[in-house]
Amino acid sequence: MFEFDKLCREYENLTYEERLDILTDMAGVIVPAIEELKGKRKDFFMLVSAACAADGKLDPEEYSLFKESTGLDLDFDEAAETIRQIRGKDLAEQANELVDRFGELDEDVKAAMVSYCLCICSADKRIGLQERSFIRRLIRE
């Protein structure tokens, strides 16, 4: 997993603008694909929320990047409450379930989702151990 750790460090060193550019590009792949699938927009938000919940909180930087890169207008308090609810559940189970829901999508879309989660988790300039573990689970699924 040396390559994964190296990738995490690269994401941690990005500026806000670089991170936003990457997230916007990834959202450009993800959002149109999930728009075709009923209910998948909410599932994508839940996947990103679960990635953010891996460390137990929603940082304002994570929220801002999600909102700006996807164009989805969500209330911060509502998003933070979603994070708190997810945190109370078995995160590994949540991750597996969400990845399974996206099983019908193209491999490029799934790869973009993993990259999106990795990038957004680095918003606070650190991808913590729990966040890394969560993303590794997404990669293995």
Side-chain angles (χ1 to χ4, degrees), residues 3-141:
E3 291 298 317
F4 179 73
D5 291 335
K6 183 179 174 183
L7 184 62
C8 287
R9 281 191 300 279
E10 289 175 15
Y11 276 104
E12 289 171 337
N13 291 323
L14 294 172
T15 66
Y16 182 89
E17 291 76 21
E18 291 169 328
R19 195 171 282 108
L20 180 59
D21 286 345
I22 291 169
L23 290 169
T24 301
D25 287 346
M26 294 295 117
V29 172
I30 298 164
V31 173
I34 62 176
E35 287 295 322
E36 296 176 16
L37 304 170
K38 185 178 179 185
K40 297 301 181 187
R41 181 183 271 218
K42 182 180 178 195
D43 288 346
F44 176 60
F45 172 69
M46 291 300 291
L47 178 65
V48 174
S49 297
C52 293
D55 68 356
K57 63 186 180 336
L58 177 64
D59 292 317
E61 295 89 356
E62 292 169 335
Y63 170 76
S64 176
L65 284 165
F66 179 80
K67 188 174 175 179
E68 285 186 63
S69 65
T70 63
L72 300 175
D73 190 19
L74 302 168
D75 178 65
F76 179 81
D77 292 332
E78 181 182 328
E81 179 58 29
T82 300
I83 299 283
R84 281 190 289 278
Q85 290 173 3
I86 291 172
R87 185 66 183 154
K89 298 178 182 177
D90 180 9
L91 204 54
E93 185 179 312
Q94 285 273 334
N96 290 335
E97 185 179 315
L98 290 167
V99 171
D100 288 346
R101 287 185 198 165
F102 290 112
E104 61 203 67
L105 294 176
D106 181 272
E107 288 298 317
D108 291 336
V109 176
K110 288 191 280 187
M113 288 179 174
V114 171
S115 294
Y116 190 98
C117 289
L118 183 60
C119 192
I120 206 155
C121 284
S122 72
D124 60 357
K125 301 283 188 183
R126 182 176 178 278
I127 302 172
L129 183 60
Q130 291 121 338
E131 292 168 325
R132 287 176 190 239
S133 294
F134 178 84
I135 293 168
R136 281 187 179 118
R137 271 187 242 117
L138 293 180
I139 293 169
R140 282 188 287 232
E141 294 303 315

